[in-house]
Amino acid sequence: MADDLPGGDARWCGVDVIQNPVFVERATGEVWWFSDLNIVWYTDAELASFTKLAEDVAGFIDYLILSPGYVQHMSGGQDDPWLQALSSSEARPHG
């Protein structure tokens, strides 16, 4: 997936997250993605929407998988099972 990015596979490790690629820069651990989810990512030839999502993989997981980033960028609405799981875990007391 990283062939068309500057530095290619030597610089980037790509994974698919709900049909949108997420890339980890090998040297820094930063997580990048194509933030405009309304375009087909590989047609963004100028990399206009290619932006840093998180400082590291742990930050990515915290932001996009476990917190507001999921609701903002990935959720399919109220019927989304992961959104329901997140909401129910927030309602439970911790500790």
Side-chain angles (χ1 to χ4, degrees):
M1 288 191 308
D3 290 343
D4 295 326
L5 298 176
D9 286 329
R11 181 176 177 190
W12 302 98
C13 175
V15 295
D16 187 47
V17 177
I18 309 176
Q19 299 178 349
N20 292 293
V22 173
F23 298 91
V24 177
E25 188 172 22
R26 294 178 192 275
T28 65
E30 294 175 343
V31 180
W32 291 66
W33 73 335
F34 289 87
S35 60
D36 185 350
L37 300 178
N38 295 316
I39 65 165
V40 177
W41 68 271
Y42 52 82
T43 64
D44 189 1
E46 288 84 38
L47 303 178
S49 70
F50 191 60
T51 59
K52 184 167 55 171
L53 178 60
E55 293 294 325
D56 54 28
V57 173
F60 159 75
I61 291 170
D62 185 49
Y63 174 71
L64 194 66
I65 306 300
L66 299 175
S67 69
Y70 182 82
V71 175
Q72 181 180 359
H73 299 292
M74 309 301 276
S75 174
Q78 294 302 319
D79 294 331
D80 182 325
W82 185 245
L83 179 60
Q84 292 171 1
L86 289 175
S87 298
S88 67
S89 70
E90 290 174 3
R92 274 191 232 127
H94 298 282

